[in-house]
Amino acid sequence: MSSIEERLADLEARVAALESERDGPGGARGEEGPARTAGDGTGHLAYGGEAGLGGRTWSWQVVRSPGWLVERPAGPLAAVLAAAGHPARLRILQLLVVGPRPIAELQSELNLASQGQLYHHLKTLTSAGLVEQPERGVYRVPARAVFPVLTLTAAAVDVAGAHA
């Protein structure tokens, strides 16, 4: 059975998708109101979609004002980006976004020199809110972070371009 947080995040994503369908193009809402008429006049940036991962179907839509985004405090954002920015940690996220994995499976998949290295990376990801431990020895990307993690990966692919 899913945790309450996962179930709530799934319901929120479904409601957002239904509201988006109801309101039509440009009608999805983020923290800044209607997508096409952001209150600060800087426009809108949207990400979302649908994905089938780990036996679950995810639907997500987020709309933000560029002006609002550039005013966010850099510290907490940099912590998330730094946590995801290490090659081993990004690989951990890629594995966990599909579904929960036990520590032994992660260790085997990553071929790290020690289990201590793995725990160090998991602690960094957990502190940044990118990973959680729903039960002893098992880790996952929290439901609220699945699409943001996928979006970070997509953005990195786009920025890296031919270098990837």
Side-chain angles (χ1 to χ4, degrees):
M1 185 170 174
S2 298
S3 72
I4 291 173
E5 292 86 13
E6 281 183 315
R7 291 171 41 204
L8 179 59
D10 189 43
L11 285 171
E12 288 173 342
R14 289 179 185 195
V15 167
L18 289 171
E19 287 176 345
S20 176
E21 288 176 17
R22 178 199 67 205
D23 294 341
R29 294 182 176 268
E31 292 186 21
E32 297 300 303
R36 303 269 181 230
T37 58
D40 64 7
T42 62
H44 73 279
L45 177 97
Y47 71 94
E50 295 180 16
L53 296 169
R56 296 190 62 184
T57 301
W58 302 90
S59 179
W60 202 271
Q61 178 69 30
V62 175
V63 179
R64 301 278 191 245
S65 156
W68 182 84
L69 288 170
V70 300
E71 294 299 322
R72 298 302 90 207
L77 305 179
V80 171
L81 295 173
H86 187 281
R89 291 193 290 263
L90 182 57
R91 184 64 189 138
I92 290 168
L93 289 171
Q94 289 174 316
L95 294 169
L96 295 179
V97 78
V98 176
R101 298 248 184 143
I103 197 79
E105 196 175 308
L106 288 171
Q107 180 69 32
S108 172
E109 186 81 30
L110 295 166
N111 296 318
L112 294 173
S114 72
Q115 205 172 48
Q117 284 181 323
L118 178 56
Y119 279 113
H120 169 75
H121 291 310
L122 288 168
K123 181 179 178 184
T124 301
L125 291 167
T126 301
S127 294
L130 293 167
V131 168
E132 65 184 8
Q133 186 179 12
E135 59 187 83
R136 185 180 168 104
V138 175
Y139 290 84
R140 69 179 176 204
V141 171
R144 64 170 174 69
V146 169
F147 259 83
V149 165
L150 291 171
T151 302
L152 281 173
T153 306
V157 167
D158 291 344
V159 170
H163 304 293

